[in-house]
Amino acid sequence: MRAAEAEETVLLVARPELTDPLYSQSILMARALPSGEHVGFILNRPTEMKMAEAFPGNEASKTITEPLYLGGPAELNAIFALMHRPTAPKDGALPLADNLYLAVSGTAVDEAMMLGGNDKSRFFVGAVFWRVGELAEEIQRGAWYVLEAKADLVLPVKTIGLREKLVQQAEMLSSGT
């Protein structure tokens, strides 16, 4: 895929040449915003914190066994959730791909917690933001493989080994096999 194809929601897989300490070996999901900027989340950086620790008074948070993930270096005071569900949440969520939504409001994050986490939701502290043209420039420079964002790739139960699988898939697509 080319930089121009990053206009919607894409999956970014760090190429081996990307040596930045935070993004090396990373998988990110990124979405274009109406302003031309992009927002994204690192998908494979679990923290040690569980949702029940972040939301001690919330009963639904106790059912989520997956850790809270580091979504990125910006907005570290905010919790976001990726949700895989057949219908759009009522309020405070952005559509990303087929049956995949980003919960950005407290109400939508609460709704994601009610889904029970794991293969239906993933929770993030922080996000990544790109200025207008910045992500396209990174793609053009060869920092990222770009793949279609699909719920089964974005929300697998385990992320260990996922980057290697996606690199292999991206290299097969780019070679035309």
Side-chain angles (χ1 to χ4, degrees):
M1 288 187 163
R2 295 189 178 103
E5 293 177 85
E7 294 306 313
E8 294 297 323
T9 302
V10 294
L11 201 58
L12 302 171
V13 182
R15 288 182 176 259
E17 300 81 12
L18 184 59
T19 59
D20 180 277
L22 182 59
Y23 300 111
S24 173
Q25 304 290 313
S26 289
I27 304 164
L28 286 85
M29 189 232 27
R31 180 188 194 278
L33 299 173
S35 64
E37 298 169 313
H38 284 78
V39 62
F41 299 89
I42 302 170
L43 301 176
N44 61 332
R45 295 272 188 252
T47 70
E48 298 290 319
M49 182 178 273
K50 300 284 186 187
M51 286 297 288
E53 295 171 60
F55 295 94
N58 185 306
E59 287 301 312
S61 72
K62 296 174 185 172
T63 66
I64 300 166
T65 59
E66 284 287 303
L68 190 59
Y69 282 73
L70 174 63
E75 298 293 327
L76 290 172
N77 60 340
I79 303 287
F80 302 93
L82 291 178
M83 305 164 59
H84 181 225
R85 51 181 292 156
T87 59
K90 293 178 186 168
D91 206 12
L94 301 170
L96 300 174
D98 288 341
N99 301 325
L100 188 63
Y101 301 90
L102 173 64
V104 295
S105 73
T107 303
V109 171
D110 285 343
E111 192 174 334
M113 282 192 272
M114 297 300 286
L115 291 174
N118 303 327
D119 64 340
K120 293 182 179 20
S121 298
R122 178 160 292 145
F123 299 88
F124 300 90
V125 59
V128 179
F129 291 95
W130 289 270
R131 293 181 305 277
V132 174
E134 188 176 18
L135 179 56
E137 181 181 301
E138 289 179 13
I139 293 168
Q140 188 174 21
R141 266 196 338 252
W144 305 103
Y145 292 109
V146 182
L147 297 170
E148 182 181 352
K150 295 180 186 176
D152 62 334
L153 294 178
V154 173
L155 291 174
V157 174
K158 299 291 178 200
T159 60
I160 295 171
L162 179 61
R163 183 185 167 276
E164 291 76 16
K165 175 183 166 185
L166 293 174
V167 165
Q168 198 171 41
Q169 181 179 339
E171 286 176 347
M172 285 178 21
L173 286 171
S174 66
S175 70
T177 58

